[in-house]
mmCIF file of all heavy atoms in Angstrom:
data_model
loop_
_atom_site.group_PDB
_atom_site.id
_atom_site.type_symbol
_atom_site.label_atom_id
_atom_site.label_comp_id
_atom_site.label_asym_id
_atom_site.label_seq_id
_atom_site.Cartn_x
_atom_site.Cartn_y
_atom_site.Cartn_z
ATOM 1 N N MET A 257 -166.173 -99.858 -243.315
ATOM 2 C CA MET A 257 -165.685 -100.582 -244.494
ATOM 3 C C MET A 257 -165.260 -101.981 -244.096
ATOM 4 O O MET A 257 -165.079 -102.280 -242.946
ATOM 5 C CB MET A 257 -164.486 -99.858 -245.107
ATOM 6 C CG MET A 257 -164.916 -98.707 -245.990
ATOM 7 S SD MET A 257 -163.719 -98.166 -247.206
ATOM 8 C CE MET A 257 -162.149 -98.712 -246.605
ATOM 9 N N ALA A 258 -165.068 -102.796 -245.101
ATOM 10 C CA ALA A 258 -164.561 -104.144 -244.882
ATOM 11 C C ALA A 258 -163.982 -104.622 -246.209
ATOM 12 O O ALA A 258 -164.265 -104.043 -247.260
ATOM 13 C CB ALA A 258 -165.670 -105.082 -244.420
ATOM 14 N N ALA A 259 -163.169 -105.666 -246.120
ATOM 15 C CA ALA A 259 -162.599 -106.221 -247.337
ATOM 16 C C ALA A 259 -163.712 -106.767 -248.230
ATOM 17 O O ALA A 259 -164.710 -107.287 -247.746
ATOM 18 C CB ALA A 259 -161.615 -107.322 -246.981
ATOM 19 N N VAL A 260 -163.511 -106.624 -249.539
ATOM 20 C CA VAL A 260 -164.492 -107.097 -250.511
ATOM 21 C C VAL A 260 -163.797 -108.042 -251.484
ATOM 22 O O VAL A 260 -162.734 -107.723 -252.010
ATOM 23 C CB VAL A 260 -165.097 -105.910 -251.295
ATOM 24 C CG1 VAL A 260 -166.020 -106.403 -252.401
ATOM 25 C CG2 VAL A 260 -165.840 -104.976 -250.349
ATOM 26 N N VAL A 261 -164.383 -109.189 -251.718
ATOM 27 C CA VAL A 261 -163.827 -110.168 -252.645
ATOM 28 C C VAL A 261 -164.417 -109.940 -254.036
ATOM 29 O O VAL A 261 -165.634 -109.819 -254.189
ATOM 30 C CB VAL A 261 -164.148 -111.599 -252.191
ATOM 31 C CG1 VAL A 261 -163.621 -112.615 -253.194
ATOM 32 C CG2 VAL A 261 -163.568 -111.864 -250.807
ATOM 33 N N ILE A 262 -163.528 -109.858 -255.019
ATOM 34 C CA ILE A 262 -163.972 -109.774 -256.411
ATOM 35 C C ILE A 262 -164.116 -111.209 -256.902
ATOM 36 O O ILE A 262 -163.136 -111.894 -257.204
ATOM 37 C CB ILE A 262 -162.933 -109.003 -257.260
ATOM 38 C CG1 ILE A 262 -162.711 -107.610 -256.667
ATOM 39 C CG2 ILE A 262 -163.402 -108.906 -258.716
ATOM 40 C CD1 ILE A 262 -161.456 -106.928 -257.174
ATOM 41 N N LYS A 263 -165.348 -111.666 -256.920
ATOM 42 C CA LYS A 263 -165.614 -113.096 -257.156
ATOM 43 C C LYS A 263 -165.015 -113.603 -258.466
ATOM 44 O O LYS A 263 -164.558 -114.744 -258.557
ATOM 45 C CB LYS A 263 -167.126 -113.353 -257.147
ATOM 46 C CG LYS A 263 -167.762 -113.195 -255.776
ATOM 47 C CD LYS A 263 -169.211 -113.641 -255.798
ATOM 48 C CE LYS A 263 -169.836 -113.594 -254.413
ATOM 49 N NZ LYS A 263 -169.990 -112.205 -253.923
ATOM 50 N N GLU A 264 -165.024 -112.758 -259.488
ATOM 51 C CA GLU A 264 -164.529 -113.185 -260.795
ATOM 52 C C GLU A 264 -163.029 -113.492 -260.776
ATOM 53 O O GLU A 264 -162.533 -114.220 -261.632
ATOM 54 C CB GLU A 264 -164.809 -112.103 -261.845
ATOM 55 C CG GLU A 264 -166.284 -111.903 -262.162
ATOM 56 C CD GLU A 264 -167.036 -111.118 -261.094
ATOM 57 O OE1 GLU A 264 -166.377 -110.517 -260.213
ATOM 58 O OE2 GLU A 264 -168.275 -111.129 -261.120
ATOM 59 N N LEU A 265 -162.304 -112.905 -259.813
ATOM 60 C CA LEU A 265 -160.854 -113.108 -259.748
ATOM 61 C C LEU A 265 -160.447 -114.160 -258.726
ATOM 62 O O LEU A 265 -159.335 -114.668 -258.742
ATOM 63 C CB LEU A 265 -160.159 -111.782 -259.400
ATOM 64 C CG LEU A 265 -160.270 -110.663 -260.433
ATOM 65 C CD1 LEU A 265 -159.565 -109.409 -259.932
ATOM 66 C CD2 LEU A 265 -159.688 -111.095 -261.770
ATOM 67 N N CYS A 266 -161.332 -114.476 -257.789
ATOM 68 C CA CYS A 266 -160.987 -115.399 -256.708
ATOM 69 C C CYS A 266 -160.967 -116.845 -257.192
ATOM 70 O O CYS A 266 -161.899 -117.298 -257.850
ATOM 71 C CB CYS A 266 -161.998 -115.259 -255.574
ATOM 72 S SG CYS A 266 -161.697 -116.398 -254.193
ATOM 73 N N ILE A 267 -159.858 -117.551 -256.846
ATOM 74 C CA ILE A 267 -159.741 -118.962 -257.227
ATOM 75 C C ILE A 267 -159.909 -119.881 -256.022
ATOM 76 O O ILE A 267 -159.718 -121.084 -256.117
ATOM 77 C CB ILE A 267 -158.382 -119.237 -257.905
ATOM 78 C CG1 ILE A 267 -157.233 -118.846 -256.971
ATOM 79 C CG2 ILE A 267 -158.291 -118.480 -259.234
ATOM 80 C CD1 ILE A 267 -155.851 -119.257 -257.487
ATOM 81 N N GLY A 268 -160.232 -119.294 -254.871
ATOM 82 C CA GLY A 268 -160.515 -120.109 -253.691
ATOM 83 C C GLY A 268 -159.304 -120.766 -253.071
ATOM 84 O O GLY A 268 -159.426 -121.796 -252.411
ATOM 85 N N CYS A 269 -158.128 -120.163 -253.225
ATOM 86 C CA CYS A 269 -156.891 -120.794 -252.746
ATOM 87 C C CYS A 269 -156.786 -120.800 -251.220
ATOM 88 O O CYS A 269 -156.051 -121.596 -250.652
ATOM 89 C CB CYS A 269 -155.684 -120.091 -253.341
ATOM 90 S SG CYS A 269 -155.439 -118.411 -252.720
ATOM 91 N N GLY A 270 -157.464 -119.870 -250.548
ATOM 92 C CA GLY A 270 -157.477 -119.858 -249.082
ATOM 93 C C GLY A 270 -156.343 -119.101 -248.416
ATOM 94 O O GLY A 270 -156.281 -119.050 -247.187
ATOM 95 N N VAL A 271 -155.439 -118.523 -249.196
ATOM 96 C CA VAL A 271 -154.315 -117.788 -248.610
ATOM 97 C C VAL A 271 -154.816 -116.630 -247.747
ATOM 98 O O VAL A 271 -154.319 -116.391 -246.644
ATOM 99 C CB VAL A 271 -153.372 -117.269 -249.720
ATOM 100 C CG1 VAL A 271 -152.342 -116.302 -249.156
ATOM 101 C CG2 VAL A 271 -152.690 -118.439 -250.399
ATOM 102 N N CYS A 272 -155.796 -115.912 -248.219
ATOM 103 C CA CYS A 272 -156.338 -114.776 -247.459
ATOM 104 C C CYS A 272 -156.900 -115.234 -246.125
ATOM 105 O O CYS A 272 -156.706 -114.581 -245.097
ATOM 106 C CB CYS A 272 -157.425 -114.082 -248.279
ATOM 107 S SG CYS A 272 -158.765 -115.183 -248.794
ATOM 108 N N SER A 273 -157.565 -116.345 -246.139
ATOM 109 C CA SER A 273 -158.152 -116.880 -244.909
ATOM 110 C C SER A 273 -157.066 -117.214 -243.887
ATOM 111 O O SER A 273 -157.211 -116.947 -242.690
ATOM 112 C CB SER A 273 -158.970 -118.129 -245.244
ATOM 113 O OG SER A 273 -159.500 -118.696 -244.089
ATOM 114 N N GLN A 274 -155.951 -117.760 -244.371
ATOM 115 C CA GLN A 274 -154.839 -118.101 -243.476
ATOM 116 C C GLN A 274 -154.176 -116.850 -242.912
ATOM 117 O O GLN A 274 -153.698 -116.860 -241.768
ATOM 118 C CB GLN A 274 -153.798 -118.938 -244.234
ATOM 119 C CG GLN A 274 -154.287 -120.330 -244.587
ATOM 120 C CD GLN A 274 -153.351 -121.018 -245.574
ATOM 121 O OE1 GLN A 274 -152.164 -120.740 -245.628
ATOM 122 N NE2 GLN A 274 -153.898 -121.926 -246.360
ATOM 123 N N MET A 275 -154.137 -115.781 -243.681
ATOM 124 C CA MET A 275 -153.441 -114.566 -243.259
ATOM 125 C C MET A 275 -154.284 -113.668 -242.361
ATOM 126 O O MET A 275 -153.740 -112.846 -241.613
ATOM 127 C CB MET A 275 -153.021 -113.761 -244.495
ATOM 128 C CG MET A 275 -151.990 -114.444 -245.364
ATOM 129 S SD MET A 275 -150.461 -114.815 -244.491
ATOM 130 C CE MET A 275 -149.833 -113.154 -244.247
ATOM 131 N N CYS A 276 -155.571 -113.780 -242.421
ATOM 132 C CA CYS A 276 -156.446 -112.845 -241.703
ATOM 133 C C CYS A 276 -156.315 -113.002 -240.188
ATOM 134 O O CYS A 276 -156.581 -114.078 -239.650
ATOM 135 C CB CYS A 276 -157.896 -113.064 -242.118
ATOM 136 S SG CYS A 276 -159.024 -111.978 -241.216
ATOM 137 N N PRO A 277 -155.922 -111.942 -239.478
ATOM 138 C CA PRO A 277 -155.752 -112.031 -238.028
ATOM 139 C C PRO A 277 -157.075 -112.055 -237.271
ATOM 140 O O PRO A 277 -157.098 -112.339 -236.075
ATOM 141 C CB PRO A 277 -154.962 -110.755 -237.695
ATOM 142 C CG PRO A 277 -155.364 -109.787 -238.744
ATOM 143 C CD PRO A 277 -155.566 -110.610 -239.992
ATOM 144 N N MET A 278 -158.153 -111.782 -237.966
ATOM 145 C CA MET A 278 -159.465 -111.723 -237.302
ATOM 146 C C MET A 278 -160.340 -112.939 -237.619
ATOM 147 O O MET A 278 -161.503 -112.988 -237.232
ATOM 148 C CB MET A 278 -160.207 -110.442 -237.734
ATOM 149 C CG MET A 278 -159.479 -109.154 -237.421
ATOM 150 S SD MET A 278 -159.141 -108.962 -235.663
ATOM 151 C CE MET A 278 -160.800 -108.686 -235.048
ATOM 152 N N GLN A 279 -159.771 -113.907 -238.333
ATOM 153 C CA GLN A 279 -160.566 -115.069 -238.787
ATOM 154 C C GLN A 279 -161.862 -114.603 -239.453
ATOM 155 O O GLN A 279 -162.941 -115.148 -239.200
ATOM 156 C CB GLN A 279 -160.888 -116.022 -237.619
ATOM 157 C CG GLN A 279 -159.700 -116.840 -237.142
ATOM 158 C CD GLN A 279 -158.826 -116.053 -236.161
ATOM 159 O OE1 GLN A 279 -159.330 -115.469 -235.223
ATOM 160 N NE2 GLN A 279 -157.531 -116.066 -236.376
ATOM 161 N N ALA A 280 -161.719 -113.594 -240.286
ATOM 162 C CA ALA A 280 -162.904 -113.003 -240.917
ATOM 163 C C ALA A 280 -163.199 -113.567 -242.301
ATOM 164 O O ALA A 280 -164.212 -113.202 -242.896
ATOM 165 C CB ALA A 280 -162.728 -111.484 -241.013
ATOM 166 N N ILE A 281 -162.321 -114.438 -242.808
ATOM 167 C CA ILE A 281 -162.523 -114.939 -244.171
ATOM 168 C C ILE A 281 -162.686 -116.452 -244.168
ATOM 169 O O ILE A 281 -161.881 -117.168 -243.578
ATOM 170 C CB ILE A 281 -161.337 -114.568 -245.088
ATOM 171 C CG1 ILE A 281 -161.049 -113.061 -245.015
ATOM 172 C CG2 ILE A 281 -161.649 -114.969 -246.535
ATOM 173 C CD1 ILE A 281 -159.872 -112.625 -245.879
ATOM 174 N N SER A 282 -163.728 -116.894 -244.828
ATOM 175 C CA SER A 282 -163.918 -118.331 -245.020
ATOM 176 C C SER A 282 -164.018 -118.586 -246.516
ATOM 177 O O SER A 282 -164.428 -117.718 -247.284
ATOM 178 C CB SER A 282 -165.194 -118.799 -244.316
ATOM 179 O OG SER A 282 -166.308 -118.050 -244.767
ATOM 180 N N VAL A 283 -163.612 -119.786 -246.934
ATOM 181 C CA VAL A 283 -163.694 -120.145 -248.344
ATOM 182 C C VAL A 283 -164.781 -121.201 -248.495
ATOM 183 O O VAL A 283 -164.716 -122.269 -247.886
ATOM 184 C CB VAL A 283 -162.354 -120.680 -248.881
ATOM 185 C CG1 VAL A 283 -162.501 -121.097 -250.348
ATOM 186 C CG2 VAL A 283 -161.265 -119.618 -248.746
ATOM 187 N N ARG A 284 -165.787 -120.863 -249.267
ATOM 188 C CA ARG A 284 -166.889 -121.785 -249.505
ATOM 189 C C ARG A 284 -167.132 -121.867 -251.000
ATOM 190 O O ARG A 284 -167.193 -120.852 -251.686
ATOM 191 C CB ARG A 284 -168.171 -121.277 -248.819
ATOM 192 C CG ARG A 284 -168.025 -121.101 -247.311
ATOM 193 C CD ARG A 284 -169.388 -120.898 -246.660
ATOM 194 N NE ARG A 284 -170.063 -119.693 -247.104
ATOM 195 C CZ ARG A 284 -169.944 -118.488 -246.523
ATOM 196 N NH1 ARG A 284 -169.146 -118.327 -245.488
ATOM 197 N NH2 ARG A 284 -170.614 -117.471 -246.980
ATOM 198 N N VAL A 285 -167.267 -123.072 -251.491
ATOM 199 C CA VAL A 285 -167.508 -123.320 -252.916
ATOM 200 C C VAL A 285 -166.492 -122.533 -253.761
ATOM 201 O O VAL A 285 -166.833 -121.844 -254.716
ATOM 202 C CB VAL A 285 -168.949 -122.964 -253.330
ATOM 203 C CG1 VAL A 285 -169.309 -123.666 -254.638
ATOM 204 C CG2 VAL A 285 -169.954 -123.365 -252.256
ATOM 205 N N LYS A 286 -165.200 -122.635 -253.339
ATOM 206 C CA LYS A 286 -164.082 -122.058 -254.084
ATOM 207 C C LYS A 286 -164.133 -120.537 -254.234
ATOM 208 O O LYS A 286 -163.571 -119.981 -255.184
ATOM 209 C CB LYS A 286 -163.947 -122.727 -255.470
ATOM 210 C CG LYS A 286 -163.614 -124.203 -255.358
ATOM 211 C CD LYS A 286 -163.106 -124.766 -256.657
ATOM 212 C CE LYS A 286 -162.621 -126.206 -256.457
ATOM 213 N NZ LYS A 286 -162.145 -126.785 -257.697
ATOM 214 N N THR A 287 -164.818 -119.871 -253.306
ATOM 215 C CA THR A 287 -164.792 -118.412 -253.302
ATOM 216 C C THR A 287 -164.663 -117.936 -251.862
ATOM 217 O O THR A 287 -165.326 -118.473 -250.966
ATOM 218 C CB THR A 287 -166.084 -117.820 -253.911
ATOM 219 O OG1 THR A 287 -166.257 -118.340 -255.229
ATOM 220 C CG2 THR A 287 -165.992 -116.300 -254.011
ATOM 221 N N ALA A 288 -163.814 -116.938 -251.640
ATOM 222 C CA ALA A 288 -163.642 -116.383 -250.298
ATOM 223 C C ALA A 288 -164.827 -115.491 -249.939
ATOM 224 O O ALA A 288 -165.373 -114.781 -250.785
ATOM 225 C CB ALA A 288 -162.355 -115.572 -250.255
ATOM 226 N N HIS A 289 -165.203 -115.558 -248.657
ATOM 227 C CA HIS A 289 -166.289 -114.720 -248.141
ATOM 228 C C HIS A 289 -165.776 -113.993 -246.905
ATOM 229 O O HIS A 289 -165.136 -114.603 -246.043
ATOM 230 C CB HIS A 289 -167.500 -115.578 -247.767
ATOM 231 C CG HIS A 289 -168.094 -116.312 -248.931
ATOM 232 N ND1 HIS A 289 -169.132 -115.807 -249.674
ATOM 233 C CD2 HIS A 289 -167.755 -117.496 -249.492
ATOM 234 C CE1 HIS A 289 -169.425 -116.664 -250.643
ATOM 235 N NE2 HIS A 289 -168.605 -117.694 -250.557
ATOM 236 N N VAL A 290 -166.074 -112.701 -246.817
ATOM 237 C CA VAL A 290 -165.628 -111.895 -245.679
ATOM 238 C C VAL A 290 -166.788 -111.675 -244.714
ATOM 239 O O VAL A 290 -167.881 -111.269 -245.116
ATOM 240 C CB VAL A 290 -165.089 -110.531 -246.157
ATOM 241 C CG1 VAL A 290 -164.694 -109.660 -244.962
ATOM 242 C CG2 VAL A 290 -163.904 -110.722 -247.095
ATOM 243 N N ASP A 291 -166.522 -111.951 -243.437
ATOM 244 C CA ASP A 291 -167.469 -111.624 -242.375
ATOM 245 C C ASP A 291 -167.216 -110.155 -242.028
ATOM 246 O O ASP A 291 -166.241 -109.823 -241.344
ATOM 247 C CB ASP A 291 -167.217 -112.531 -241.168
ATOM 248 C CG ASP A 291 -168.167 -112.219 -240.016
ATOM 249 O OD1 ASP A 291 -168.732 -111.112 -239.968
ATOM 250 O OD2 ASP A 291 -168.319 -113.100 -239.146
ATOM 251 N N THR A 292 -168.063 -109.276 -242.524
ATOM 252 C CA THR A 292 -167.812 -107.846 -242.386
ATOM 253 C C THR A 292 -167.842 -107.396 -240.926
ATOM 254 O O THR A 292 -167.242 -106.385 -240.570
ATOM 255 C CB THR A 292 -168.830 -107.028 -243.199
ATOM 256 O OG1 THR A 292 -170.151 -107.397 -242.798
ATOM 257 C CG2 THR A 292 -168.660 -107.302 -244.688
ATOM 258 N N GLY A 293 -168.498 -108.148 -240.084
ATOM 259 C CA GLY A 293 -168.539 -107.801 -238.669
ATOM 260 C C GLY A 293 -167.216 -108.047 -237.967
ATOM 261 O O GLY A 293 -166.920 -107.439 -236.934
ATOM 262 N N ARG A 294 -166.397 -108.940 -238.518
ATOM 263 C CA ARG A 294 -165.095 -109.250 -237.931
ATOM 264 C C ARG A 294 -163.967 -108.435 -238.551
ATOM 265 O O ARG A 294 -162.960 -108.164 -237.895
ATOM 266 C CB ARG A 294 -164.764 -110.736 -238.141
ATOM 267 C CG ARG A 294 -165.504 -111.682 -237.208
ATOM 268 C CD ARG A 294 -165.146 -113.123 -237.585
ATOM 269 N NE ARG A 294 -165.667 -114.087 -236.632
ATOM 270 C CZ ARG A 294 -164.974 -114.576 -235.606
ATOM 271 N NH1 ARG A 294 -163.734 -114.207 -235.413
ATOM 272 N NH2 ARG A 294 -165.504 -115.457 -234.792
ATOM 273 N N CYS A 295 -164.077 -108.069 -239.802
ATOM 274 C CA CYS A 295 -162.984 -107.412 -240.520
ATOM 275 C C CYS A 295 -162.609 -106.080 -239.867
ATOM 276 O O CYS A 295 -163.469 -105.258 -239.575
ATOM 277 C CB CYS A 295 -163.404 -107.168 -241.973
ATOM 278 S SG CYS A 295 -162.160 -106.288 -242.929
ATOM 279 N N ASN A 296 -161.289 -105.880 -239.663
ATOM 280 C CA ASN A 296 -160.812 -104.627 -239.055
ATOM 281 C C ASN A 296 -160.029 -103.771 -240.054
ATOM 282 O O ASN A 296 -159.287 -102.872 -239.647
ATOM 283 C CB ASN A 296 -159.973 -104.926 -237.812
ATOM 284 C CG ASN A 296 -158.637 -105.582 -238.143
ATOM 285 O OD1 ASN A 296 -158.329 -105.821 -239.311
ATOM 286 N ND2 ASN A 296 -157.847 -105.889 -237.132
ATOM 287 N N ASP A 297 -160.171 -104.086 -241.349
ATOM 288 C CA ASP A 297 -159.559 -103.290 -242.415
ATOM 289 C C ASP A 297 -158.030 -103.297 -242.391
ATOM 290 O O ASP A 297 -157.391 -102.340 -242.834
ATOM 291 C CB ASP A 297 -160.040 -101.833 -242.361
ATOM 292 C CG ASP A 297 -161.545 -101.698 -242.568
ATOM 293 O OD1 ASP A 297 -162.169 -102.682 -242.999
ATOM 294 O OD2 ASP A 297 -162.082 -100.609 -242.302
ATOM 295 N N CYS A 298 -157.406 -104.352 -241.917
ATOM 296 C CA CYS A 298 -155.941 -104.365 -241.782
ATOM 297 C C CYS A 298 -155.220 -104.505 -243.130
ATOM 298 O O CYS A 298 -154.041 -104.227 -243.229
ATOM 299 C CB CYS A 298 -155.515 -105.477 -240.849
ATOM 300 S SG CYS A 298 -155.661 -107.133 -241.561
ATOM 301 N N GLU A 299 -155.927 -104.985 -244.141
ATOM 302 C CA GLU A 299 -155.391 -105.147 -245.504
ATOM 303 C C GLU A 299 -154.430 -106.321 -245.683
ATOM 304 O O GLU A 299 -153.827 -106.453 -246.756
ATOM 305 C CB GLU A 299 -154.717 -103.866 -246.011
ATOM 306 C CG GLU A 299 -155.685 -102.717 -246.236
ATOM 307 C CD GLU A 299 -155.047 -101.566 -246.981
ATOM 308 O OE1 GLU A 299 -154.327 -100.756 -246.351
ATOM 309 O OE2 GLU A 299 -155.275 -101.494 -248.202
ATOM 310 N N GLU A 300 -154.248 -107.141 -244.671
ATOM 311 C CA GLU A 300 -153.365 -108.309 -244.842
ATOM 312 C C GLU A 300 -153.832 -109.174 -246.010
ATOM 313 O O GLU A 300 -153.016 -109.667 -246.793
ATOM 314 C CB GLU A 300 -153.359 -109.154 -243.558
ATOM 315 C CG GLU A 300 -152.665 -108.508 -242.390
ATOM 316 C CD GLU A 300 -151.156 -108.457 -242.552
ATOM 317 O OE1 GLU A 300 -150.610 -109.223 -243.358
ATOM 318 O OE2 GLU A 300 -150.537 -107.638 -241.855
ATOM 319 N N CYS A 301 -155.108 -109.356 -246.126
ATOM 320 C CA CYS A 301 -155.638 -110.208 -247.200
ATOM 321 C C CYS A 301 -155.418 -109.585 -248.575
ATOM 322 O O CYS A 301 -155.174 -110.294 -249.550
ATOM 323 C CB CYS A 301 -157.116 -110.474 -246.978
ATOM 324 S SG CYS A 301 -158.118 -108.963 -246.873
ATOM 325 N N VAL A 302 -155.491 -108.264 -248.627
ATOM 326 C CA VAL A 302 -155.287 -107.567 -249.901
ATOM 327 C C VAL A 302 -153.875 -107.829 -250.408
ATOM 328 O O VAL A 302 -153.661 -108.145 -251.580
ATOM 329 C CB VAL A 302 -155.523 -106.052 -249.737
ATOM 330 C CG1 VAL A 302 -155.212 -105.313 -251.034
ATOM 331 C CG2 VAL A 302 -156.963 -105.781 -249.301
ATOM 332 N N PHE A 303 -152.889 -107.735 -249.502
ATOM 333 C CA PHE A 303 -151.495 -107.961 -249.889
ATOM 334 C C PHE A 303 -151.211 -109.439 -250.133
ATOM 335 O O PHE A 303 -150.357 -109.789 -250.938
ATOM 336 C CB PHE A 303 -150.563 -107.423 -248.803
ATOM 337 C CG PHE A 303 -150.668 -105.934 -248.616
ATOM 338 C CD1 PHE A 303 -150.966 -105.396 -247.374
ATOM 339 C CD2 PHE A 303 -150.486 -105.068 -249.687
ATOM 340 C CE1 PHE A 303 -151.073 -104.020 -247.188
ATOM 341 C CE2 PHE A 303 -150.599 -103.688 -249.523
ATOM 342 C CZ PHE A 303 -150.889 -103.160 -248.272
ATOM 343 N N ALA A 304 -151.928 -110.311 -249.451
ATOM 344 C CA ALA A 304 -151.653 -111.747 -249.535
ATOM 345 C C ALA A 304 -152.232 -112.398 -250.787
ATOM 346 O O ALA A 304 -151.685 -113.384 -251.280
ATOM 347 C CB ALA A 304 -152.210 -112.445 -248.294
ATOM 348 N N CYS A 305 -153.305 -111.874 -251.297
ATOM 349 C CA CYS A 305 -153.986 -112.558 -252.406
ATOM 350 C C CYS A 305 -153.117 -112.565 -253.663
ATOM 351 O O CYS A 305 -152.721 -111.507 -254.151
ATOM 352 C CB CYS A 305 -155.318 -111.877 -252.713
ATOM 353 S SG CYS A 305 -156.154 -112.633 -254.123
ATOM 354 N N PRO A 306 -152.833 -113.735 -254.216
ATOM 355 C CA PRO A 306 -151.996 -113.820 -255.411
ATOM 356 C C PRO A 306 -152.703 -113.362 -256.675
ATOM 357 O O PRO A 306 -152.064 -113.165 -257.710
ATOM 358 C CB PRO A 306 -151.649 -115.315 -255.486
ATOM 359 C CG PRO A 306 -152.828 -115.994 -254.852
ATOM 360 C CD PRO A 306 -153.261 -115.071 -253.739
ATOM 361 N N ASN A 307 -154.006 -113.187 -256.594
ATOM 362 C CA ASN A 307 -154.778 -112.825 -257.783
ATOM 363 C C ASN A 307 -155.352 -111.422 -257.755
ATOM 364 O O ASN A 307 -156.130 -111.074 -258.626
ATOM 365 C CB ASN A 307 -155.933 -113.819 -257.964
ATOM 366 C CG ASN A 307 -155.594 -114.923 -258.933
ATOM 367 O OD1 ASN A 307 -154.419 -115.181 -259.163
ATOM 368 N ND2 ASN A 307 -156.587 -115.560 -259.499
ATOM 369 N N GLY A 308 -155.009 -110.653 -256.739
ATOM 370 C CA GLY A 308 -155.577 -109.314 -256.653
ATOM 371 C C GLY A 308 -157.090 -109.326 -256.532
ATOM 372 O O GLY A 308 -157.762 -108.438 -257.049
ATOM 373 N N ALA A 309 -157.595 -110.327 -255.817
ATOM 374 C CA ALA A 309 -159.055 -110.518 -255.789
ATOM 375 C C ALA A 309 -159.727 -109.894 -254.571
ATOM 376 O O ALA A 309 -160.938 -110.074 -254.404
ATOM 377 C CB ALA A 309 -159.369 -112.011 -255.824
ATOM 378 N N ILE A 310 -158.952 -109.191 -253.723
ATOM 379 C CA ILE A 310 -159.572 -108.532 -252.576
ATOM 380 C C ILE A 310 -159.211 -107.064 -252.583
ATOM 381 O O ILE A 310 -158.077 -106.675 -252.864
ATOM 382 C CB ILE A 310 -159.125 -109.144 -251.228
ATOM 383 C CG1 ILE A 310 -159.325 -110.644 -251.234
ATOM 384 C CG2 ILE A 310 -159.938 -108.533 -250.088
ATOM 385 C CD1 ILE A 310 -159.093 -111.299 -249.891
ATOM 386 N N THR A 311 -160.191 -106.254 -252.272
ATOM 387 C CA THR A 311 -159.987 -104.817 -252.184
ATOM 388 C C THR A 311 -160.684 -104.290 -250.944
ATOM 389 O O THR A 311 -161.473 -104.994 -250.327
ATOM 390 C CB THR A 311 -160.529 -104.128 -253.463
ATOM 391 O OG1 THR A 311 -160.260 -102.748 -253.401
ATOM 392 C CG2 THR A 311 -162.032 -104.358 -253.605
ATOM 393 N N LEU A 312 -160.393 -103.069 -250.564
ATOM 394 C CA LEU A 312 -161.071 -102.461 -249.422
ATOM 395 C C LEU A 312 -161.898 -101.271 -249.900
ATOM 396 O O LEU A 312 -161.528 -100.600 -250.834
ATOM 397 C CB LEU A 312 -160.063 -101.976 -248.379
ATOM 398 C CG LEU A 312 -159.571 -103.002 -247.379
ATOM 399 C CD1 LEU A 312 -158.530 -102.378 -246.482
ATOM 400 C CD2 LEU A 312 -160.700 -103.553 -246.533
HETATM 401 S S1 SF4 B 190 -156.229 -115.297 -251.560
HETATM 402 FE FE1 SF4 B 190 -157.384 -114.335 -253.220
HETATM 403 S S2 SF4 B 190 -157.728 -115.971 -254.716
HETATM 404 FE FE2 SF4 B 190 -157.144 -116.932 -252.759
HETATM 405 S S3 SF4 B 190 -159.122 -117.382 -251.743
HETATM 406 FE FE3 SF4 B 190 -158.426 -115.371 -251.029
HETATM 407 S S4 SF4 B 190 -159.420 -113.892 -252.411
HETATM 408 FE FE4 SF4 B 190 -159.539 -115.894 -253.382
HETATM 409 S S1 SF4 B 191 -158.713 -106.629 -244.087
HETATM 410 FE FE1 SF4 B 191 -157.681 -107.794 -242.434
HETATM 411 S S2 SF4 B 191 -159.312 -108.311 -240.989
HETATM 412 FE FE2 SF4 B 191 -160.303 -107.740 -242.912
HETATM 413 S S3 SF4 B 191 -160.628 -109.663 -243.980
HETATM 414 FE FE3 SF4 B 191 -158.670 -108.807 -244.689
HETATM 415 S S4 SF4 B 191 -157.098 -109.731 -243.390
HETATM 416 FE FE4 SF4 B 191 -159.092 -110.028 -242.396
#
């Protein structure tokens, strides 16, 4: 598994990218993208997102 971004809810704020301990999230064109090969399922991004835009 890996974190999944719900594109319709993501505003591209970058908070998840800052919180991710694996540097697995990048923000491109105002939407977060998860590098599934790096994600370790820690859920930090899920708790950090102000819009509820990431799930596992
Ligand atoms: S914290 Fe949430 S809204 Fe902000 S870039 Fe990440 S997924 Fe998108
Ligand atoms: S679950 Fe953890 S490792 Fe995976 S993208 Fe979110 S913060 Fe990064």
Side-chain angles (χ1 to χ4, degrees):
M257 279 201 338
V260 175
V261 177
I262 303 164
K263 291 188 176 68
E264 292 77 13
L265 295 179
C266 178
I267 58 172
C269 69
V271 170
C272 56
S273 178
Q274 291 168 27
M275 294 301 291
C276 178
M278 301 301 290
Q279 287 83 49
I281 308 179
S282 56
V283 178
R284 301 192 297 270
V285 200
K286 296 196 173 179
T287 304
H289 298 267
V290 177
D291 179 339
T292 55
R294 283 177 172 265
C295 177
N296 69 0
D297 298 347
C298 73
E299 293 191 280
E300 290 288 340
C301 57
V302 176
F303 296 124
C305 177
N307 264 21
I310 308 188
T311 183
L312 275 177

